[in-house]
Amino acid sequence: MSIYIRNAWYVAAWASEVNHELFKRTILGEPIVLYRKNDGTPVALIDRCAHKLLPLSMGRLVGDYVQCGYHGLEYDCSGACVRVPGQERIPATAKVRSFPLVERYNAIWIWMGDPARADPAAIHEVRKINEPGWAVIDGGYQLHGGDYLNIAENLQDPAHTTYVHLRTIGNPATSDVPVKVEQGPDYLVTYRWSNNVPPPPIDKRNGDFKGLVDRCQYYHYFLPCVSRVDVVTMDAGQEHTEENMDKGLRLYGYKFLTPETETTTHFFWMQVRNFGVDDSKMQAEQFASLDQTFAEDNVIVTAVQREQTATGTRQQTWLSIDAGPSRVRKMLEDMAAAEQTAT
Ligand code: FES
Ligand SMILES: [Fe+2]
């Protein structure tokens, strides 16, 4: 059984990565070539010529058509062959698969499953991204050496922070506050509030807190491929409504996981926050710090994946900290199995 879930929108690339030239990327084990037409519309085709299967990314663009680098077949943006050098007739088999794309939130989203089900409304909403008073960092990308299930587990696993991120975000002080978990059909959230606590120095710097604060970290996972960490610091004594939380310090950390292969994952990340909005120094520092943090995760996940592959085993013993990670894995595996049974 494959671990892939096909009927979903995945980030194929940041919008800035795709231009009027051929750009290749493997997604869900399939070679894809992306480009923009002259009018800017993005296109995705299978990166394999219908003739002798040469990757089309080794060819070139002729206007809005892709010309194969072997015998010059030309394909339009739907994947139909429009020209065969040396003959009039275009064989019915001379076509390649094209994939639905949507450009949104500075990213290009691809649908790898049944095209009839590709509803743009199903793209996960990124909160506050275009609203005044919120700063955006996007363009974060790393290729991670683990399958997306291992990475999803890592993202639902606050317990690793103290050990993996010692030099970046590690903070052992909160590790004894109880954690709550909520699950819906297509999401899981783990969170903990620390109420009536003095604001830590970093929150004092970024916000204008006179007294005690309530702080929370929500770790959301939206199946199959979006993680959102929601970090809030607000004046103590208020109801924890969305509106009140937005008046405090709030930061959304998004990760979009796109399986590359059965053992590797494209890890795209973005941050949206309501403080330091015009602070370019903070922008640069946040980018560097997050990039470093996720590189730390990549080292761990890559090594774990290597040992799992070598042993054919995933885990030998289970701990209470595995509740969230195990649950997100199970939800993803069930979703993949249900999709594969249905088709
Ligand atoms: S392999 Fe592409 S035209 Fe022959
Ligand atoms: Fe981490």
Side-chain angles (χ1 to χ4, degrees):
M1 171 111 14
S2 163
I3 61 171
Y4 297 142
I5 294 160
R6 293 187 177 275
N7 287 318
W9 289 103
Y10 290 97
V11 173
W14 289 112
S16 57
E17 291 183 289
V18 181
N19 299 299
H20 188 62
E21 55 193 49
L22 299 173
F23 175 86
K24 64 172 180 167
R25 180 159 278 164
T26 299
I27 298 175
L28 272 59
E30 307 228 51
I32 307 291
V33 59
L34 294 143
Y35 66 97
R36 283 185 197 274
K37 297 200 294 184
N38 278 312
D39 69 2
T41 314
V43 177
L45 303 175
I46 199 87
D47 191 14
R48 207 180 266 141
C49 179
H51 182 219
K52 289 186 187 284
L53 314 188
L54 185 79
L56 292 173
S57 56
M58 293 173 69
R60 64 191 190 105
L61 279 175
V62 176
D64 285 344
Y65 298 156
V66 183
Q67 183 186 68
C68 179
Y70 203 170
H71 311 97
L73 259 65
E74 286 178 24
Y75 299 90
D76 69 10
C77 63
S78 74
C81 179
V82 290
R83 180 163 177 262
V84 180
Q87 70 180 57
E88 284 289 304
R89 192 180 67 85
I90 294 177
T93 48
K95 57 179 183 234
V96 297
R97 186 173 171 199
S98 69
F99 297 85
L101 295 180
V102 172
E103 188 161 352
R104 190 176 293 174
Y105 306 133
N106 305 334
I108 295 174
W109 300 74
I110 192 167
W111 183 274
M112 300 293 292
D114 175 3
R117 296 180 57 185
D119 176 5
I123 293 176
H124 187 84
E125 184 203 347
V126 175
R127 288 189 171 177
K128 305 290 181 186
I129 181 169
N130 293 319
E131 292 190 22
W134 293 78
V136 178
I137 297 175
D138 63 13
Y141 172 80
Q142 295 176 358
L143 180 60
H144 280 201
D147 70 30
Y148 78 98
L149 298 169
N150 279 326
I151 297 171
E153 282 201 353
N154 173 277
L155 292 168
Q156 281 296 310
D157 172 19
H160 79 273
T161 304
T162 310
Y163 305 96
V164 175
H165 303 303
L166 211 50
R167 284 175 300 157
T168 47
I169 54 171
N171 175 14
T174 54
S175 53
D176 52 352
V177 182
V179 167
K180 293 201 173 124
V181 181
E182 279 169 29
Q183 183 177 339
D186 56 0
Y187 74 89
L188 183 67
V189 55
T190 308
Y191 61 98
R192 67 170 113 220
W193 277 99
S194 309
N195 295 333
N196 295 307
V197 295
I202 185 149
D203 286 349
K204 269 194 155 152
R205 260 203 313 280
N206 292 329
D208 182 26
F209 298 108
K210 305 275 183 277
L212 298 178
V213 295
D214 292 352
R215 305 182 81 224
C216 188
Q217 299 204 327
Y218 292 91
Y219 295 83
H220 282 90
Y221 197 91
F222 301 98
L223 270 60
C225 61
V226 177
S227 155
R228 185 183 80 210
V229 180
D230 182 358
V231 185
V232 185
T233 303
M234 60 197 284
D235 285 319
Q238 307 175 76
E239 237 190 299
H240 296 158
T241 60
E242 292 290 332
E243 211 188 328
N244 285 340
M245 289 194 262
D246 278 349
K247 287 187 201 142
L249 293 178
R250 194 161 197 187
L251 177 156
Y252 294 111
Y254 282 96
K255 291 97 184 175
F256 308 109
L257 308 184
T258 305
E260 181 192 46
T261 67
E262 297 262 0
T263 53
T264 53
T265 305
H266 302 290
F267 186 97
F268 298 90
W269 59 268
M270 161 187 274
Q271 185 201 74
V272 186
R273 65 171 198 278
N274 69 356
F275 54 89
V277 173
D278 299 316
D279 185 341
S280 56
K281 187 161 165 268
M282 187 187 288
Q283 282 290 93
E285 282 170 2
Q286 289 276 321
F287 189 98
S289 152
L290 288 164
D291 201 47
Q292 170 66 27
T293 303
F294 303 141
E296 290 167 353
D297 287 313
N298 190 16
V299 169
I300 298 291
V301 169
T302 301
V304 164
Q305 183 73 51
R306 188 179 60 231
E307 297 308 314
Q308 288 177 341
T309 305
T311 57
T313 318
R314 184 167 62 74
Q315 187 163 346
Q316 184 177 319
T317 189
W318 270 261
L319 310 175
S320 53
I321 53 166
D322 294 326
S326 295
R327 202 178 317 195
V328 77
R329 172 182 289 270
K330 174 84 169 58
M331 291 170 78
L332 288 164
E333 286 175 344
D334 287 352
M335 193 177 184
E339 184 181 278
Q340 286 161 43
T341 316
T343 50

Short mmCIF file of all heavy atoms in Angstrom, two decimals, residues 11-27 30-36 42-47 55-61 66 101 108 110 141 266 268:
data_model
loop_
_atom_site.label_atom_id
_atom_site.label_comp_id
_atom_site.label_asym_id
_atom_site.label_seq_id
_atom_site.Cartn_x
_atom_site.Cartn_y
_atom_site.Cartn_z
N VAL A 11 1.69 22.02 -2.26
CA VAL A 11 2.54 23.08 -2.83
C VAL A 11 3.57 22.40 -3.73
O VAL A 11 4.32 21.54 -3.29
CB VAL A 11 3.24 23.88 -1.72
CG1 VAL A 11 4.25 24.85 -2.33
CG2 VAL A 11 2.22 24.65 -0.88
N ALA A 12 3.54 22.79 -5.01
CA ALA A 12 4.52 22.25 -5.97
C ALA A 12 5.79 23.10 -5.95
O ALA A 12 6.89 22.58 -6.14
CB ALA A 12 3.93 22.24 -7.38
N ALA A 13 5.60 24.40 -5.75
CA ALA A 13 6.74 25.33 -5.78
C ALA A 13 6.28 26.67 -5.25
O ALA A 13 5.08 26.97 -5.25
CB ALA A 13 7.23 25.51 -7.23
N TRP A 14 7.22 27.48 -4.80
CA TRP A 14 6.90 28.88 -4.56
C TRP A 14 6.69 29.54 -5.92
O TRP A 14 7.34 29.16 -6.91
CB TRP A 14 8.03 29.57 -3.81
CG TRP A 14 8.12 29.12 -2.39
CD1 TRP A 14 9.12 28.38 -1.82
CD2 TRP A 14 7.16 29.36 -1.35
NE1 TRP A 14 8.84 28.13 -0.50
CE2 TRP A 14 7.65 28.72 -0.18
CE3 TRP A 14 5.95 30.04 -1.28
CZ2 TRP A 14 6.94 28.75 1.03
CZ3 TRP A 14 5.25 30.07 -0.08
CH2 TRP A 14 5.75 29.44 1.05
N ALA A 15 5.82 30.53 -5.96
CA ALA A 15 5.52 31.22 -7.23
C ALA A 15 6.79 31.76 -7.87
O ALA A 15 6.95 31.72 -9.09
CB ALA A 15 4.53 32.35 -6.97
N SER A 16 7.72 32.21 -7.03
CA SER A 16 8.95 32.83 -7.55
C SER A 16 9.91 31.80 -8.17
O SER A 16 10.84 32.18 -8.88
CB SER A 16 9.67 33.56 -6.42
OG SER A 16 9.93 32.65 -5.37
N GLU A 17 9.68 30.51 -7.91
CA GLU A 17 10.59 29.50 -8.47
C GLU A 17 10.28 29.19 -9.93
O GLU A 17 11.10 28.61 -10.63
CB GLU A 17 10.45 28.18 -7.68
CG GLU A 17 10.98 28.21 -6.26
CD GLU A 17 10.86 26.83 -5.61
OE1 GLU A 17 9.74 26.40 -5.30
OE2 GLU A 17 11.91 26.19 -5.41
N VAL A 18 9.05 29.49 -10.35
CA VAL A 18 8.61 29.05 -11.68
C VAL A 18 8.50 30.25 -12.61
O VAL A 18 7.76 31.21 -12.33
CB VAL A 18 7.26 28.31 -11.59
CG1 VAL A 18 6.82 27.83 -12.97
CG2 VAL A 18 7.38 27.13 -10.62
N ASN A 19 9.25 30.20 -13.70
CA ASN A 19 9.28 31.29 -14.66
C ASN A 19 9.08 30.72 -16.06
O ASN A 19 8.68 29.58 -16.21
CB ASN A 19 10.62 32.03 -14.55
CG ASN A 19 10.80 32.61 -13.16
OD1 ASN A 19 10.00 33.44 -12.74
ND2 ASN A 19 11.78 32.12 -12.43
N HIS A 20 9.39 31.54 -17.07
CA HIS A 20 9.21 31.06 -18.45
C HIS A 20 10.42 30.21 -18.85
O HIS A 20 11.18 30.54 -19.76
CB HIS A 20 9.03 32.26 -19.40
CG HIS A 20 8.65 31.86 -20.79
ND1 HIS A 20 7.48 31.18 -21.08
CD2 HIS A 20 9.30 32.00 -21.97
CE1 HIS A 20 7.43 30.94 -22.37
NE2 HIS A 20 8.52 31.43 -22.93
N GLU A 21 10.62 29.17 -18.09
CA GLU A 21 11.67 28.19 -18.39
C GLU A 21 11.28 26.88 -17.72
O GLU A 21 10.41 26.86 -16.84
CB GLU A 21 13.03 28.68 -17.91
CG GLU A 21 13.08 29.02 -16.46
CD GLU A 21 14.36 29.81 -16.09
OE1 GLU A 21 14.67 30.79 -16.81
OE2 GLU A 21 14.99 29.44 -15.10
N LEU A 22 11.91 25.80 -18.12
CA LEU A 22 11.49 24.48 -17.63
C LEU A 22 12.11 24.20 -16.26
O LEU A 22 13.32 24.33 -16.07
CB LEU A 22 11.89 23.40 -18.64
CG LEU A 22 11.24 23.57 -20.02
CD1 LEU A 22 11.81 22.56 -21.02
CD2 LEU A 22 9.73 23.46 -19.95
N PHE A 23 11.26 23.82 -15.33
CA PHE A 23 11.66 23.62 -13.93
C PHE A 23 11.15 22.23 -13.53
O PHE A 23 9.96 21.94 -13.65
CB PHE A 23 10.98 24.69 -13.08
CG PHE A 23 11.19 24.56 -11.60
CD1 PHE A 23 12.31 25.10 -10.98
CD2 PHE A 23 10.24 23.93 -10.80
CE1 PHE A 23 12.49 25.01 -9.60
CE2 PHE A 23 10.42 23.82 -9.43
CZ PHE A 23 11.55 24.35 -8.83
N LYS A 24 12.05 21.36 -13.11
CA LYS A 24 11.60 19.99 -12.80
C LYS A 24 11.57 19.75 -11.29
O LYS A 24 12.40 20.28 -10.54
CB LYS A 24 12.50 18.96 -13.49
CG LYS A 24 13.91 18.98 -13.02
CD LYS A 24 14.68 17.78 -13.61
CE LYS A 24 16.12 17.83 -13.11
NZ LYS A 24 16.85 16.61 -13.34
N ARG A 25 10.59 18.96 -10.89
CA ARG A 25 10.49 18.59 -9.47
C ARG A 25 9.71 17.27 -9.39
O ARG A 25 8.70 17.11 -10.08
CB ARG A 25 9.78 19.70 -8.70
CG ARG A 25 9.62 19.41 -7.21
CD ARG A 25 9.40 20.69 -6.42
NE ARG A 25 10.64 21.38 -6.11
CZ ARG A 25 10.72 22.65 -5.70
NH1 ARG A 25 9.64 23.38 -5.60
NH2 ARG A 25 11.90 23.19 -5.42
N THR A 26 10.19 16.36 -8.57
CA THR A 26 9.46 15.10 -8.37
C THR A 26 8.44 15.28 -7.25
O THR A 26 8.78 15.81 -6.18
CB THR A 26 10.45 13.98 -8.01
OG1 THR A 26 11.35 13.83 -9.10
CG2 THR A 26 9.74 12.65 -7.77
N ILE A 27 7.20 14.90 -7.52
CA ILE A 27 6.11 15.06 -6.55
C ILE A 27 5.32 13.76 -6.48
O ILE A 27 4.91 13.22 -7.52
CB ILE A 27 5.21 16.25 -6.95
CG1 ILE A 27 6.03 17.54 -6.95
CG2 ILE A 27 3.99 16.36 -6.03
CD1 ILE A 27 5.31 18.76 -7.44
N GLU A 30 6.30 11.19 -8.90
CA GLU A 30 6.15 11.41 -10.33
C GLU A 30 7.01 12.60 -10.76
O GLU A 30 7.00 13.65 -10.11
CB GLU A 30 4.69 11.75 -10.66
CG GLU A 30 3.73 10.72 -10.11
CD GLU A 30 2.73 10.28 -11.14
OE1 GLU A 30 3.17 9.91 -12.25
OE2 GLU A 30 1.54 10.30 -10.83
N PRO A 31 7.71 12.43 -11.89
CA PRO A 31 8.51 13.56 -12.39
C PRO A 31 7.59 14.59 -13.04
O PRO A 31 6.75 14.26 -13.87
CB PRO A 31 9.41 12.91 -13.44
CG PRO A 31 8.66 11.71 -13.91
CD PRO A 31 7.79 11.26 -12.75
N ILE A 32 7.71 15.82 -12.61
CA ILE A 32 6.85 16.91 -13.10
C ILE A 32 7.74 18.00 -13.69
O ILE A 32 8.80 18.30 -13.14
CB ILE A 32 6.04 17.54 -11.94
CG1 ILE A 32 5.27 16.46 -11.15
CG2 ILE A 32 5.10 18.62 -12.44
CD1 ILE A 32 4.13 15.82 -11.87
N VAL A 33 7.30 18.57 -14.82
CA VAL A 33 7.97 19.76 -15.33
C VAL A 33 6.99 20.93 -15.24
O VAL A 33 5.82 20.81 -15.61
CB VAL A 33 8.51 19.56 -16.76
CG1 VAL A 33 7.41 19.19 -17.76
CG2 VAL A 33 9.29 20.79 -17.23
N LEU A 34 7.48 22.02 -14.67
CA LEU A 34 6.66 23.21 -14.49
C LEU A 34 7.23 24.36 -15.31
O LEU A 34 8.45 24.44 -15.51
CB LEU A 34 6.66 23.63 -13.01
CG LEU A 34 5.99 22.68 -12.02
CD1 LEU A 34 6.75 22.65 -10.70
CD2 LEU A 34 4.54 23.08 -11.78
N TYR A 35 6.37 25.23 -15.78
CA TYR A 35 6.83 26.47 -16.44
C TYR A 35 5.68 27.46 -16.46
O TYR A 35 4.55 27.11 -16.13
CB TYR A 35 7.35 26.20 -17.85
CG TYR A 35 6.33 25.73 -18.86
CD1 TYR A 35 5.72 26.63 -19.75
CD2 TYR A 35 5.97 24.38 -18.96
CE1 TYR A 35 4.79 26.21 -20.69
CE2 TYR A 35 5.05 23.95 -19.90
CZ TYR A 35 4.45 24.87 -20.76
OH TYR A 35 3.53 24.45 -21.69
N ARG A 36 5.99 28.68 -16.84
CA ARG A 36 4.92 29.66 -17.04
C ARG A 36 4.81 29.97 -18.52
O ARG A 36 5.83 30.11 -19.21
CB ARG A 36 5.24 30.97 -16.31
CG ARG A 36 5.00 30.90 -14.84
CD ARG A 36 5.23 32.28 -14.23
NE ARG A 36 5.39 32.18 -12.79
CZ ARG A 36 4.35 32.17 -11.93
NH1 ARG A 36 3.11 32.27 -12.36
NH2 ARG A 36 4.58 32.07 -10.65
N PRO A 42 0.85 29.40 -14.89
CA PRO A 42 1.71 28.25 -14.66
C PRO A 42 1.13 26.97 -15.26
O PRO A 42 -0.09 26.82 -15.36
CB PRO A 42 1.77 28.14 -13.14
CG PRO A 42 0.54 28.81 -12.65
CD PRO A 42 0.12 29.82 -13.68
N VAL A 43 2.03 26.09 -15.67
CA VAL A 43 1.67 24.82 -16.33
C VAL A 43 2.47 23.71 -15.66
O VAL A 43 3.63 23.91 -15.30
CB VAL A 43 2.03 24.87 -17.84
CG1 VAL A 43 1.73 23.53 -18.52
CG2 VAL A 43 1.34 26.02 -18.55
N ALA A 44 1.83 22.53 -15.51
CA ALA A 44 2.56 21.36 -15.02
C ALA A 44 2.24 20.16 -15.91
O ALA A 44 1.06 19.85 -16.15
CB ALA A 44 2.18 21.04 -13.58
N LEU A 45 3.26 19.52 -16.41
CA LEU A 45 3.11 18.31 -17.24
C LEU A 45 3.96 17.20 -16.64
O LEU A 45 4.93 17.47 -15.92
CB LEU A 45 3.61 18.58 -18.67
CG LEU A 45 2.97 19.73 -19.45
CD1 LEU A 45 3.70 19.91 -20.79
CD2 LEU A 45 1.48 19.49 -19.68
N ILE A 46 3.60 15.96 -17.00
CA ILE A 46 4.48 14.87 -16.60
C ILE A 46 5.79 15.05 -17.37
O ILE A 46 5.79 15.43 -18.54
CB ILE A 46 3.83 13.48 -16.86
CG1 ILE A 46 4.52 12.41 -16.04
CG2 ILE A 46 3.84 13.10 -18.33
CD1 ILE A 46 3.96 12.24 -14.67
N ASP A 47 6.90 14.83 -16.65
CA ASP A 47 8.20 15.16 -17.25
C ASP A 47 8.76 13.94 -18.00
O ASP A 47 9.82 13.41 -17.68
CB ASP A 47 9.17 15.59 -16.13
CG ASP A 47 10.45 16.19 -16.68
OD1 ASP A 47 10.48 16.51 -17.89
OD2 ASP A 47 11.41 16.33 -15.90
N PRO A 55 12.95 12.97 -20.40
CA PRO A 55 12.35 14.06 -19.61
C PRO A 55 12.18 15.33 -20.45
O PRO A 55 13.15 15.78 -21.11
CB PRO A 55 13.37 14.27 -18.48
CG PRO A 55 14.02 12.92 -18.31
CD PRO A 55 14.10 12.36 -19.73
N LEU A 56 10.98 15.87 -20.43
CA LEU A 56 10.74 17.09 -21.21
C LEU A 56 11.56 18.25 -20.67
O LEU A 56 11.87 19.19 -21.40
CB LEU A 56 9.25 17.43 -21.18
CG LEU A 56 8.35 16.43 -21.93
CD1 LEU A 56 6.88 16.76 -21.69
CD2 LEU A 56 8.66 16.46 -23.43
N SER A 57 11.90 18.19 -19.38
CA SER A 57 12.71 19.27 -18.79
C SER A 57 14.10 19.34 -19.44
O SER A 57 14.81 20.33 -19.25
CB SER A 57 12.84 19.07 -17.28
OG SER A 57 13.38 17.80 -17.00
N MET A 58 14.48 18.32 -20.22
CA MET A 58 15.75 18.38 -20.95
C MET A 58 15.57 19.05 -22.32
O MET A 58 16.54 19.21 -23.06
CB MET A 58 16.33 16.98 -21.12
CG MET A 58 16.75 16.36 -19.78
SD MET A 58 17.26 14.64 -19.94
CE MET A 58 18.79 14.82 -20.84
N GLY A 59 14.33 19.40 -22.65
CA GLY A 59 14.08 20.08 -23.92
C GLY A 59 14.07 21.58 -23.72
O GLY A 59 14.82 22.11 -22.89
N ARG A 60 13.18 22.28 -24.47
CA ARG A 60 13.14 23.74 -24.32
C ARG A 60 11.73 24.25 -24.63
O ARG A 60 10.91 23.54 -25.21
CB ARG A 60 14.16 24.39 -25.24
CG ARG A 60 13.90 24.17 -26.70
CD ARG A 60 15.09 24.62 -27.55
NE ARG A 60 14.73 24.63 -28.96
CZ ARG A 60 14.49 25.73 -29.67
NH1 ARG A 60 14.61 26.92 -29.12
NH2 ARG A 60 14.15 25.65 -30.95
N LEU A 61 11.52 25.49 -24.25
CA LEU A 61 10.24 26.12 -24.56
C LEU A 61 10.32 26.78 -25.92
O LEU A 61 11.30 27.47 -26.24
CB LEU A 61 9.91 27.18 -23.51
CG LEU A 61 9.32 26.69 -22.18
CD1 LEU A 61 9.16 27.86 -21.22
CD2 LEU A 61 7.98 25.99 -22.42
N VAL A 66 6.22 23.06 -25.13
CA VAL A 66 7.45 22.38 -24.70
C VAL A 66 7.92 21.51 -25.86
O VAL A 66 7.16 20.66 -26.35
CB VAL A 66 7.21 21.46 -23.48
CG1 VAL A 66 8.53 20.85 -23.02
CG2 VAL A 66 6.58 22.24 -22.35
N LEU A 101 -3.41 23.22 -11.60
CA LEU A 101 -2.59 24.10 -10.75
C LEU A 101 -3.42 25.29 -10.32
O LEU A 101 -4.30 25.75 -11.06
CB LEU A 101 -1.39 24.65 -11.53
CG LEU A 101 -0.30 23.73 -12.03
CD1 LEU A 101 0.76 24.56 -12.76
CD2 LEU A 101 0.34 22.96 -10.89
N ILE A 108 2.50 27.82 -5.83
CA ILE A 108 1.78 27.13 -6.90
C ILE A 108 1.37 25.77 -6.34
O ILE A 108 2.22 24.99 -5.92
CB ILE A 108 2.65 26.99 -8.15
CG1 ILE A 108 2.93 28.40 -8.71
CG2 ILE A 108 1.98 26.11 -9.20
CD1 ILE A 108 3.90 28.42 -9.87
N ILE A 110 -0.55 22.10 -6.64
CA ILE A 110 -0.78 21.09 -7.68
C ILE A 110 -1.72 20.02 -7.14
O ILE A 110 -1.70 19.70 -5.95
CB ILE A 110 0.56 20.48 -8.15
CG1 ILE A 110 0.38 19.64 -9.42
CG2 ILE A 110 1.23 19.63 -7.05
CD1 ILE A 110 1.70 19.28 -10.10
N TYR A 141 12.21 26.88 2.04
CA TYR A 141 12.18 25.55 1.40
C TYR A 141 13.38 24.73 1.82
O TYR A 141 14.51 25.22 1.85
CB TYR A 141 12.18 25.68 -0.14
CG TYR A 141 12.34 24.33 -0.81
CD1 TYR A 141 11.25 23.47 -0.96
CD2 TYR A 141 13.60 23.88 -1.23
CE1 TYR A 141 11.41 22.21 -1.52
CE2 TYR A 141 13.76 22.63 -1.79
CZ TYR A 141 12.66 21.80 -1.93
OH TYR A 141 12.81 20.54 -2.48
N HIS A 266 9.41 17.43 0.22
CA HIS A 266 9.63 18.88 0.05
C HIS A 266 9.00 19.59 1.23
O HIS A 266 7.79 19.41 1.50
CB HIS A 266 8.97 19.38 -1.23
CG HIS A 266 9.43 18.70 -2.48
ND1 HIS A 266 10.69 18.86 -2.99
CD2 HIS A 266 8.81 17.82 -3.31
CE1 HIS A 266 10.82 18.14 -4.09
NE2 HIS A 266 9.70 17.49 -4.31
N PHE A 268 8.10 23.07 2.60
CA PHE A 268 7.93 24.51 2.34
C PHE A 268 7.45 25.16 3.64
O PHE A 268 6.59 24.59 4.32
CB PHE A 268 6.86 24.74 1.27
CG PHE A 268 7.17 24.16 -0.08
CD1 PHE A 268 6.78 22.87 -0.41
CD2 PHE A 268 7.85 24.90 -1.03
CE1 PHE A 268 7.05 22.33 -1.67
CE2 PHE A 268 8.12 24.38 -2.29
CZ PHE A 268 7.72 23.07 -2.60
#
